[in-house]
């Protein structure tokens, strides 16, 4: 126990003495989290709340124009600016590139819909043999088409989505109008209900295949980036830990310790404990940035609603152990600082890429996905997400914790074997 | 100095007889091959060192001194051969041996970012020393080595001679029965060297058996009760320095050394 305590104490002293190294260990990940969350804010919004700048030229004076406007206003998809003037003016603005889409609702569309639905209703009644005062079914009027104009270069998928949204609104209004026409003909009182839910008998379950749970919840840049770069930052201690191991080997204190009674593992455990402490402080710092600092920059705060302290502590410790184990292995395998910093940084970047730190794993090709599931950063990131957004259960993170801890044990085990082999060589 | 050491050994030999199995350090036919090295670094080295000796292992660069010492310290396993320290072997009694020995490596095996006292505290703790006992012992040694006022300064700021002295203190904090030193006086000035050698004599007088390596013939002749000259991994000659000089009719040990090991440079290895 004395040797263990002495090793922790020595390591802490060494860490504190290396001010710049320590500053890098803490400052770099914090900068990384902040910058990444800011940089990826826009791309994430693409999928979430677009606020696409849109123009609306509403020449209709009835319900249709109003409803389209209300609908787009309330959705976070569009940032609608209503303009007056004519179609040419609107087209010109779209062509300028300031606005992505422009919608033109021609005059009298509402009346047209009403006339159409009245006509259909009467015709149907007549077909059923009901006595109805004859009225004319107006023909299709091409001047009543809703015009939708897109900025050049707008993606086809996006155009489809916008068209779909307007079509849906239009058909709901048509259905509601039709029902009202029937009611009028049948002499029922118009209670003013829009029957807007009409037509939604069939509901849809929309779910991505894969880690649907996660994808559905990674609602913004902060929610993805904070845990992702926290993992990445924690793994970057690999370089300084490996450096410390190599330095002690070069300086000879490692050999001196080997000539002393007791197992080297005790000393190594002390070193690992100190570095684990660094990892945990890094983690706390970066989560703190997510919760308190990023909102100051206009980003959403990190959502940790599902968190229990115990789960967070378990995940953070397991991730830290995995990082520390990898650092020990790197320091053991690599002969020089040069090797360690190159191998350490490249391997951490590869593990991070595979782990879904940059690009979510579910958009990767199938082959890569199956490899990705072996990255400790993948386990760590998923475990963090489950802790933040789950409902406090332990079960979803259990497997990840196990993998991370096994990874740690393997790394340390292999390192000890390598050390032993070297000594015997 | 040399004579007093020899008389002590003679006394020990009279007391114990010259039975090599009674030797404190006993190595027989030690051989060490490194992968990738055409010749073994150590081949057929046999030594037997009695309690109370100061034994010098002398040889040119690459002769196999550090390798032999590393095997004695348990840092390397011999390819073949037998080793016993106080009758114990590393295979079964590693911890027992480690409690008997102190090691002063060739390089400055200290933490440069820690102060002298922090280094000594750490290594003292490794030996199970703590608290006031450790502090008293470390401060006493720092004082003896003229480092009292530097104990709270980082090793990285020390001169070469000061580092060597702290390097030595770290190996003797726990009062080992046997002390292995690998070139403890390399790169130090005359003053530091004198201080180190005097301290080694003092420790020896307190009963510590010392095995040390060096390139300094005069120093070894002055300090050691016995020496061995090793070259190309083989011991060429063993004996009391004065006896060897007399037997070979040379003015000093350096002449003997050059006669035995040749005048060629040893950088080729
Ligand atoms: N780890 C190793 N791997 C391969 N060869 C080694 C290793 N250590 C030493 N050697 C070789 O073994 C031989 C003996 O080296 P050793 O360090 O024991 O010599 P030495 O007598 O201590 O030399 P010096 O006076 O320069 O310290 C040398 O040829 C050296 O190159
Ligand atoms: Mg050497």
């Amino acid at each position: 126990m004395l040797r263990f305590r002495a090793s922790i104490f020595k390591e802490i002293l060494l860490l504190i003495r290396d001010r710049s190294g320590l500053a890098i260990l803490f400052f770099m990940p914090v900068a990384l989290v902040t910058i990444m969350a800011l940089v990826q804010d826009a791309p994430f919004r693409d999928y979430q709340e677009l606020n696409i700048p849109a123009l609306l030229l509403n020449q209709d004076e009835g319900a249709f124009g109003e409803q389209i406007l209300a609908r787009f206003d309330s959705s976070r998809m569009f940032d609608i600016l209503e303009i007056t003037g004519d179609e040419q003016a609107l087209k010109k603005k779209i062509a300028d590139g300031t606005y992505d889409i422009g919608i033109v609702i021609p005059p009298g569309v509402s009346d047209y819909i009403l006339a159409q639905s009245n006509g259909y209703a009467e015709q149907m009644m007549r077909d059923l043999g009901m006595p109805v005062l004859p009225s004319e079914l107006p023909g299709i009027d091409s001047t009543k088409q809703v015009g939708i104009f897109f900025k050049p270069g707008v993606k086809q998928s996006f155009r489809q989505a916008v068209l779909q949204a307007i079509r849906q609104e239009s058909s709901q209004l048509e259905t509601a109008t039709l029902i009202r026409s029937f009611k009028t003909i049948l002499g029922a009182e118009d209670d003013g209900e829009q029957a807007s839910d009409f037509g939604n008998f069939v509901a849809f379950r929309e779910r991505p295949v894969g880690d649907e749970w996660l994808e559905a919840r990674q609602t913004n840049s902060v929610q993805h980036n904070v845990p992702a770069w926290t993992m990445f930052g924690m793994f970057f201690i690999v370089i300084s830990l490996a450096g410390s191991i190599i330095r002690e080997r070069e300086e000879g204190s490692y050999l001196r310790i080997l000539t002393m009674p007791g197992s080297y593992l005790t000393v190594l455990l002390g070193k690992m404990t100190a570095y684990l402490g660094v990892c945990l402080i890094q983690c706390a710092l970066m989560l703190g940035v997510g919760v308190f600092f990023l909102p100051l920059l206009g980003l959403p705060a990190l959502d940790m609603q599902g968190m229990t302290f115990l789960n967070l502590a378990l995940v953070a410790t397991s991730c830290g152990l995995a990082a520390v184990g990898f650092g020990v292995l790197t320091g053991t395998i690599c002969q020089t600082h040069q090797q360690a910093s190159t191998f350490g940084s490249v391997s951490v970047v590869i593990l991070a890429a595979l782990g879904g730190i940059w690009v979510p794993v579910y958009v990767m090709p199938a082959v890569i996905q199956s490899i990705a599931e072996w990255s400790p950063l993948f386990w760590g990131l998923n475990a963090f997400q489950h802790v933040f957004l789950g409902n406090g259960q332990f079960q979803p993170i259990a497997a990840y914790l196990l993998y991370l801890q096994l990874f740690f044990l393997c790394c340390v085990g292999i390192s000890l074997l390598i050390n032993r082999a070297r000594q015997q060589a | 100095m040399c004579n007093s050491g020899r008389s002590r050994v003679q006394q020990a030999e009279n007391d114990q007889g010259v039975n090599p199995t009674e030797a404190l350090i006993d190595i027989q036919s030690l051989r060490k091959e490194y992968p990738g090295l055409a010749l073994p670094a150590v081949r057929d080295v046999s030594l037997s060192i009695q309690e109370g000796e100061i034994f010098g292992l002398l040889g040119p660069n690459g002769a196999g001194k550090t390798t032999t010492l590393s095997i004695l310290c348990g840092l390397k396993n011999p390819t073949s051969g037998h080793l016993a320290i106080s009758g114990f072997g590393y295979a079964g009694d590693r911890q027992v041996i480690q409690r008997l020995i102190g090691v002063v490596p060739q390089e400055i095996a200290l933490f440069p970012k820690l102060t002298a006292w922090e280094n000594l505290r750490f290594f003292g703790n490794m030996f199970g020393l703590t608290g006031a006992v450790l502090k008293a012992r470390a401060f006493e040694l720092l004082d003896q080595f003229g480092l009292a006022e530097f104990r709270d300064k980082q090793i990285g700021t020390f001169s070469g001679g000061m580092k060597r002295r702290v390097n030595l203190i770290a190996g003797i904090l726990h009062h080992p029965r046997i002390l292995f030193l690998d070139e403890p006086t390399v790169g130090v000035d005359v003053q530091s060297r004198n201080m180190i050698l005097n301290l080694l004599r003092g420790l020896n007088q307190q009963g510590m058996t010392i095995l040390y390596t060096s390139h300094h013939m005069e120093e070894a002749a002055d300090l050691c009760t016995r020496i061995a000259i090793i070259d190309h991994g083989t011991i060429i000659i063993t004996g009391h320095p004065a006896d060897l000089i007399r037997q070979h009719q040379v003015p000093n040990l350096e002449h003997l050394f050059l006669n035995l090991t040749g005048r060629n440079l040893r950088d080729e290895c």
Side-chain angles (χ1 to χ4, degrees):
Chain A
M1 201 59 202
L2 173 64
R3 286 163 56 92
F4 176 62
R5 272 206 321 264
S7 302
I8 298 181
F9 187 64
K10 172 214 88 182
E11 214 59 52
I12 291 173
L13 273 180
L14 286 174
L15 279 165
I16 294 173
R17 296 278 151 83
D18 184 11
R19 292 265 164 79
S20 47
L22 205 61
I24 290 171
L25 275 185
F26 291 128
F27 176 75
M28 210 182 65
V30 165
L32 211 57
V33 165
T34 310
I35 289 168
M36 285 308 192
L38 281 171
V39 166
Q40 294 205 338
D41 187 36
F44 259 89
R45 264 181 224 221
D46 254 345
Y47 314 119
Q48 315 302 337
E49 37 186 280
L50 296 151
N51 287 330
I52 299 159
L55 289 176
L56 180 69
L57 173 60
N58 183 13
Q59 296 167 323
D60 181 39
E61 259 141 34
F64 183 78
E66 266 172 33
Q67 208 160 328
I68 296 280
L69 181 64
R71 156 95 182 227
F72 284 174
D73 253 353
S74 66
S75 96
R76 287 186 300 181
M77 194 169 173
F78 298 103
D79 205 357
I80 286 262
L81 178 72
E82 217 185 331
I83 56 162
T84 50
D86 62 358
E87 197 175 298
Q88 283 311 317
L90 178 133
K91 273 184 176 164
K92 193 170 170 300
K93 280 208 166 76
I94 300 291
D96 284 349
T98 335
Y99 295 89
D100 285 10
I101 55 170
I103 301 164
V104 180
I105 302 172
V109 181
S110 298
D111 292 343
Y112 173 65
I113 294 173
L114 186 62
Q116 284 281 26
S117 67
N118 280 344
Y120 275 118
E122 283 167 15
Q123 196 173 25
M124 223 174 278
M125 289 301 186
R126 260 201 307 279
D127 290 350
L128 291 170
M130 301 227 172
V132 184
L133 291 176
S135 76
E136 273 304 295
L137 180 66
I140 299 295
D141 182 352
S142 62
T143 64
K144 300 292 184 262
Q145 282 174 351
V146 175
I148 302 173
F149 304 96
F150 291 97
K151 186 171 85 172
V154 166
K155 280 194 205 124
Q156 183 65 26
S157 56
F158 174 69
R159 289 159 62 158
Q160 287 302 329
V162 172
L163 276 176
Q164 200 56 42
I166 295 176
R167 251 193 220 123
Q168 191 195 351
E169 204 53 40
S170 165
S171 85
Q172 273 185 8
L173 190 81
E174 283 168 11
T175 316
T177 315
L178 199 58
I179 291 172
R180 237 179 314 155
S181 301
F182 275 115
K183 280 184 177 168
T184 317
I185 294 168
L186 294 171
E189 266 183 38
D190 187 357
D191 50 12
E193 259 181 47
Q194 291 289 310
S196 57
D197 282 340
F198 191 85
N200 288 347
F201 292 133
V202 178
F204 292 87
R205 273 180 303 139
E206 176 217 16
R207 243 171 243 174
V209 189
D211 202 339
E212 50 195 62
W213 188 93
L214 278 186
E215 201 198 352
R217 281 164 178 78
Q218 282 176 17
T219 46
N220 61 52
S221 164
V222 169
Q223 212 60 37
H224 169 77
N225 278 304
V226 172
W229 296 101
T230 299
M231 280 299 303
F232 189 75
M234 284 164 82
F235 262 79
F236 245 88
I237 62 127
V238 164
I239 295 169
S240 81
L241 174 52
S244 142
I245 288 176
I246 291 172
R247 202 175 315 119
E248 290 181 6
R249 210 168 47 218
E250 283 178 348
E251 285 163 6
S253 44
Y254 165 71
L255 285 185
R256 194 196 273 279
I257 291 166
L258 287 188
T259 66
M260 297 178 167
S263 147
Y264 174 66
L265 182 61
T266 320
V267 179
L268 187 62
L269 280 175
K271 184 187 276 293
M272 293 193 293
T273 307
Y275 275 84
L276 178 63
V278 171
C279 275
L280 294 179
I281 297 173
Q282 279 183 323
C283 180
L285 209 61
M286 287 186 274
L287 298 185
V289 166
V291 174
F292 302 110
F293 181 59
L294 294 184
L296 300 180
L297 303 178
L299 293 167
L302 179 68
D303 181 359
M304 304 208 284
Q305 57 179 357
M307 190 197 84
T308 66
F309 184 76
L310 180 66
N311 282 353
L312 179 66
L314 282 172
V315 170
T317 309
S318 303
C319 290
L321 282 175
V324 164
F326 193 53
V328 168
L329 185 61
T330 306
T332 307
I333 292 174
C334 296
Q335 304 282 352
T336 62
H337 289 276
Q338 196 79 35
Q339 278 177 12
S341 57
T342 310
F343 173 80
S345 49
V346 172
S347 60
V348 169
V349 166
I350 290 173
L351 288 179
L354 285 176
I357 304 293
W358 277 279
V359 181
V361 170
Y362 51 76
V363 303
M364 296 179 189
V367 183
I368 305 285
Q369 278 194 23
S370 55
I371 304 173
E373 284 168 15
W374 290 91
S375 166
L377 279 94
F378 172 81
W379 307 326
L381 180 55
N382 279 11
F384 267 119
Q385 298 285 17
H386 278 279
V387 167
F388 294 153
L389 300 170
N391 44 13
Q393 286 180 321
F394 174 71
Q395 194 268 330
I397 58 170
Y400 294 127
L401 294 184
L402 182 70
Y403 297 157
L404 287 164
Q405 287 164 17
L406 280 178
F407 178 79
F408 163 72
L409 291 178
C410 285
C411 286
V412 175
I414 293 170
S415 305
L416 292 177
L417 287 178
I418 292 175
N419 280 338
R420 184 173 301 175
R422 283 209 184 120
Q423 204 180 328
Q424 276 162 8
Chain B
M1 214 56 228
C2 167
N3 290 337
S4 73
R6 191 173 0 150
S7 64
R8 234 184 7 262
V9 173
Q10 279 168 342
Q11 197 185 350
E13 282 173 354
N14 293 340
D15 287 352
Q16 302 178 345
V18 279
N19 184 355
T21 55
E22 301 256 339
L24 186 58
I25 301 167
D26 183 41
I27 50 182
Q28 301 292 330
S29 314
L30 213 58
R31 183 182 179 89
K32 178 69 186 175
E33 293 165 9
Y34 286 116
L37 213 67
L39 294 170
V42 168
R43 46 183 154 165
D44 199 28
V45 165
S46 301
L47 281 176
S48 142
I49 298 165
Q50 308 295 322
E51 177 121 43
E53 279 198 83
I54 303 188
F55 192 96
L57 190 58
L58 312 176
N61 288 131
K65 302 182 293 297
T66 302
T67 304
T68 307
L69 221 51
S70 300
I71 296 171
L72 282 168
C73 302
L75 290 173
K76 290 195 170 106
N77 293 344
T79 311
S80 63
H82 172 81
L83 177 156
I85 290 175
S86 191
F88 300 104
Y90 276 104
D93 302 297
R94 187 176 200 86
Q95 301 269 333
V96 180
I97 300 181
Q98 283 175 328
R99 285 183 196 287
L100 292 177
I101 64 168
V103 180
V104 180
Q106 186 169 353
E107 60 275 21
I108 307 293
L110 300 167
F111 303 101
K113 291 272 178 185
L114 298 188
T115 65
W117 161 232
E118 285 163 351
N119 267 287
L120 296 178
R121 185 176 51 195
F122 173 74
F123 289 116
N125 285 163
M126 291 294 115
F127 281 112
L129 301 174
T130 45
V133 178
L134 170 62
K135 195 166 187 167
R137 172 83 178 142
F139 283 18
E140 179 200 326
L141 285 168
L142 283 168
D143 201 26
Q144 278 184 33
F145 274 100
L147 293 167
E149 55 183 306
F150 299 105
R151 65 180 178 226
D152 293 324
K153 296 252 176 345
Q154 292 184 17
I155 294 290
T157 66
F158 280 22
S159 75
M162 289 158 81
K163 284 179 189 165
R164 283 252 157 246
R165 282 179 267 162
V166 183
N167 197 38
L168 203 161
I169 298 174
I172 56 174
L173 270 175
H174 59 301
H175 257 306
R177 199 166 142 208
I178 305 167
L179 181 62
F180 295 119
L181 303 107
D182 200 354
E183 303 192 28
T185 54
V186 75
V188 301
D189 60 19
V190 181
Q191 287 84 349
S192 274
R193 178 203 302 249
N194 263 335
M195 190 178 267
I196 291 174
L197 296 180
N198 281 332
L199 188 104
L200 291 181
R201 284 189 194 101
L203 290 169
N204 178 245
Q205 267 154 15
Q206 289 165 31
M208 200 180 283
T209 306
I210 296 174
L211 170 58
Y212 105 124
T213 75
S214 181
H215 301 125
H216 279 277
M217 297 304 130
E218 249 173 283
E219 172 191 306
D222 189 31
L223 183 72
C224 298
T225 52
R226 270 198 309 150
I227 58 146
I229 293 179
I230 181 172
D231 196 16
H232 299 302
T234 318
I235 301 230
I236 312 172
I237 201 166
T238 314
H240 303 290
D243 291 351
L244 291 173
I245 291 168
R246 195 163 11 94
Q247 280 164 16
H248 289 83
Q249 299 177 341
V250 283
N252 55 39
L253 212 50
E254 193 161 323
H255 274 82
L256 177 65
F257 185 84
L258 286 173
N259 286 350
L260 291 173
T261 60
R263 288 175 188 269
N264 291 339
L265 284 179
R266 297 309 172 85
D267 300 342
E268 75 273 17
C269 49

